[in-house]
Amino acid sequence: QVQLVESGGGWVQPGGSLGLSCAASGRIVSISAVGWYRQAPGKQRELVAHVPSRGSPNYADSVKGRFTISRDDAKNTVFLQMNSLKPEDTAVYYCNAVVFTTTSRFSDYWGQGTQVTVSS
């Protein structure tokens, strides 16, 4: 149906930057809301950033001012630019999208996740 593939994760020192990308493919008619979530070991998955198809993005307080979510609907891609990274940002980051496909109405999809490690 729909596949979401994240890329751009890796290791970075505190204060550094990383950019994540998530490309959606499949029988896509349109993509509604998109977002990035993260999950650290022993912790619940949490919202990092979210943006509806129409409207302003919103961010978790912990990343506000440091992270920026954006989307390129023509390419079915969502991005997360992460600046001023902190060790507590270390987690597996997941892309999420609400997608209207050719065979179903809007459904929720998740990527496989990409590891982001912030340490010195």
Side-chain angles (χ1 to χ4, degrees), residues 28-105:
I28 299 170
V29 175
S30 64
I31 300 178
S32 185
V34 297
W36 287 94
Y37 296 73
R38 67 186 182 188
Q39 186 169 23
K43 298 182 179 179
Q44 295 188 121
R45 187 172 299 184
E46 64 175 349
L47 173 69
V48 175
H50 175 271
V51 60
S53 59
R54 299 179 182 178
S56 300
N58 56 85
Y59 302 89
D61 288 340
S62 60
V63 307
K64 189 173 297 183
R66 300 187 297 119
F67 291 10
T68 302
I69 186 172
S70 60
R71 58 192 294 171
D72 185 343
D73 289 334
K75 298 182 178 180
N76 292 329
T77 303
V78 59
F79 307 94
L80 184 68
Q81 179 63 43
M82 305 183 294
N83 300 323
S84 302
L85 283 161
K86 305 175 181 179
E88 50 263 45
D89 295 319
T90 296
V92 177
Y93 284 70
Y94 297 90
C95 176
N96 171 259
V98 178
V99 183
F100 184 26
T101 71
T102 58
T103 58
S104 65
R105 63 181 185 180

Side-chain angles (χ1 to χ4, degrees), residues 101-118:
T101 71
T102 58
T103 58
S104 65
R105 63 181 185 180
F106 289 105
S107 298
D108 204 15
Y109 292 89
W110 292 88
Q112 81 288 347
T114 185
Q115 177 70 47
V116 172
T117 302
V118 185

